[in-house]
Amino acid sequence: MDADEKGLRARLVAVGVDLVLSEGQSAVSLREIARRAGVSHGAPRRYFPTHVDLLSAIAREGFADLTARVEATMRDVEADPRTRLTALARTYLDFAAAHRGMFELMFRHDLLDSGRLRLRETSLPLFAVLADLVAQVRRPTDAPAPVLAGALWANLHGIAQLWAWGSLPLATGATEDDALLHAALDAHLGPTPT
Amino acid sequence: MDADEKGLRARLVAVGVDLVLSEGQSAVSLREIARRAGVSHGAPRRYFPTHVDLLSAIAREGFADLTARVEATMRDVEADPRTRLTALARTYLDFAAAHRGMFELMFRHDLLDSGRLRLRETSLPLFAVLADLVAQVRRPTDAPAPVLAGALWANLHGIAQLWAWGSLPLATGATEDDALLHAALDAHLGPTPT
DNA sequence: AGCAGCCGTAGACGCTGTCTACTCGGCGTG
DNA sequence: CACGCCGAGTAGACAGCGTCTACGGCTGCT
């Protein structure tokens, strides 16, 4: 009464999310999803005219998940903006690490139709949270707030990316993301106030 | 007497490089490369047992190209380390922008066999150049040199990535990479000494 | 001259996404 | 009540892909 009542469309997306989480982005084929959903290979076409549409819907779910986690973090961590920012950054990196396949899919713009499904609009509020926090800790000599936020985001994203690629450990030999995370935060926002 | 004398292996790689540069990563199929090289679809198999092997060889060429550009930059720009570092960063971002498809392929670890072809070893010298320069401008209160270099690299890489994705303009509304580039450099290395 | 080994050909297999023709079932209408 | 329609899912086809295998032909060595 669960899987049956949800409607095929929602079921397909759910199966796709499971699949991308467990097997990675390359495993998410229309036919495999149809198979796991127990329908014929042509069935998804009624709801998702093309593969890209289905992948976009799955990625959307990913952005929603990430947004929810970030909002939860913001709810839980009631402290000075710098601490909240650190928590946000960690949530971002944790998400990338724990849901590697989904994270990968979310930023594979070649696989997604960012226009049609307003995928970008889904990720914008997320950036807004970051930008807001950044504006609060910005020092007068720093770059303008949006640029500063963009640069910090890029840094976090780059860390997630390179860490997923597995090349940073080899290069820096550090305790990994934690060292880099704090280096990035300190660099962009100034040293942690002890 | 040019294309004919190079041997099929080199020709396949060259065709693949052209293809990834002009059409993007997804266009680089074994069969398409074989077609453009004027051989049968099974021919590449003799030199590249699997698709991944061919892609790795192509990516290797990309790393070689990037390395050459960075070295050229280091040769041309004889100045203080900070200026050299800025030039290096710009070379990195310019490469990513000008050779988007190749850049994408180079960091698609899922498509590459980084072990077999010593792909990672090819990119390590590049990081060494960065790390060396970073060590020269590092201030005592900064993170250890390798971490600092890693964080900076991640930042550059993230900028390239997000810029390629097309989401940063929308978010920051800035003149783009230039603002972010300088924000990143200033953040990690301190304000430009003007 | 004859033989061996490399190099490329050609066809098959199962997989993919996409398209199209169809069937089945429930609904509203005459 | 019966009819027809229409949405939803089925099933088969097609071209493309990567991979595998059996085959031919050319080269150069003995």
Side-chain angles (χ1 to χ4, degrees):
Chain A
M1 73 147 209
D2 191 12
D4 292 11
E5 303 213 347
K6 275 209 307 190
L8 185 50
R9 178 185 176 103
R11 241 167 68 222
L12 289 171
V13 174
V15 167
V17 169
D18 284 358
L19 199 53
V20 76
L21 288 177
S22 62
E23 310 281 339
Q25 162 273 132
S26 64
V28 186
S29 69
L30 276 172
R31 290 173 112 105
E32 180 61 23
I33 290 183
R35 234 170 274 132
R36 300 209 181 192
V39 293
S40 75
H41 70 269
R45 190 161 211 275
R46 188 151 310 267
Y47 305 95
F48 306 99
T50 173
H51 192 196
V52 170
D53 295 299
L54 179 46
L55 288 177
S56 300
I58 294 170
R60 228 173 121 71
E61 215 74 359
F63 276 111
D65 186 12
L66 176 56
T67 301
R69 282 164 198 268
V70 166
E71 284 173 354
T73 300
M74 291 300 94
R75 228 179 295 115
D76 292 352
V77 181
E78 297 189 16
D80 58 302
R82 182 49 142 73
T83 305
R84 284 159 69 80
L85 218 25
T86 304
L88 190 161
R90 196 182 300 277
T91 299
Y92 193 85
L93 290 187
D94 283 354
F95 180 88
H99 306 83
R100 193 182 300 222
M102 178 62 91
F103 186 78
E104 195 184 343
L105 172 63
M106 285 162 61
F107 293 96
R108 282 290 303 281
H109 63 292
D110 58 316
L111 293 184
L112 273 29
D113 181 357
S114 42
R116 173 96 70 150
L117 266 179
R118 324 232 177 95
L119 225 160
R120 194 166 292 166
E121 282 79 346
T122 310
S123 66
L124 216 57
L126 230 133
F127 183 78
V129 175
L130 174 68
D132 180 48
L133 246 34
V134 163
Q136 296 181 42
V137 300
R138 178 178 168 275
R139 298 158 299 177
T141 59
D142 283 335
V147 173
L148 185 57
L152 178 57
W153 181 30
N155 207 336
L156 293 178
H157 195 77
I159 291 171
Q161 199 86 36
L162 294 182
W163 179 82
W165 190 41
S167 24
L168 278 174
L170 195 139
T172 66
T175 333
E176 271 346 288
D177 46 349
D178 241 51
L180 283 169
L181 170 58
H182 286 114
L185 288 168
D186 288 356
H188 289 278
L189 310 175
T192 97
T194 312
Chain B
M1 72 145 208
D2 189 12
D4 292 10
E5 303 212 351
K6 276 209 307 190
L8 184 51
R9 179 187 174 103
R11 242 168 66 223
L12 290 171
V13 174
V15 167
V17 169
D18 284 359
L19 198 53
V20 76
L21 288 177
S22 62
E23 312 280 339
Q25 162 273 133
S26 64
V28 186
S29 69
L30 276 173
R31 292 174 113 105
E32 180 62 22
I33 290 183
R35 234 171 275 133
R36 301 208 181 191
V39 293
S40 75
H41 70 270
R45 189 163 212 275
R46 188 149 310 266
Y47 305 96
F48 306 99
T50 173
H51 191 198
V52 170
D53 294 299
L54 180 46
L55 288 177
S56 299
I58 294 170
R60 229 172 120 71
E61 214 73 0
F63 276 111
D65 186 12
L66 176 56
T67 301
R69 283 165 197 269
V70 166
E71 283 173 355
T73 299
M74 292 300 94
R75 226 179 297 115
D76 293 352
V77 181
E78 298 190 16
D80 58 303
R82 180 53 142 78
T83 304
R84 285 159 68 81
L85 217 28
T86 304
L88 190 161
R90 198 183 300 277
T91 299
Y92 192 86
L93 290 187
D94 282 354
F95 180 87
H99 307 84
R100 193 182 302 222
M102 178 63 91
F103 186 76
E104 194 183 345
L105 172 64
M106 285 161 61
F107 292 96
R108 281 290 302 282
H109 64 290
D110 58 315
L111 294 184
L112 272 28
D113 181 358
S114 42
R116 171 96 69 152
L117 265 180
R118 324 227 177 100
L119 226 160
R120 195 167 293 165
E121 282 78 348
T122 309
S123 65
L124 217 56
L126 230 132
F127 183 78
V129 175
L130 175 68
D132 179 49
L133 247 35
V134 162
Q136 295 181 42
V137 301
R138 177 177 168 274
R139 299 158 297 176
T141 58
D142 283 334
V147 172
L148 185 56
L152 178 57
W153 181 30
N155 207 338
L156 293 178
H157 195 77
I159 290 171
Q161 199 86 36
L162 294 182
W163 178 81
W165 191 40
S167 24
L168 277 174
L170 195 140
T172 68
T175 331
E176 271 349 286
D177 46 349
D178 241 51
L180 283 170
L181 169 59
H182 286 113
L185 288 169
D186 289 355
H188 289 277
L189 310 175
T192 99
T194 347

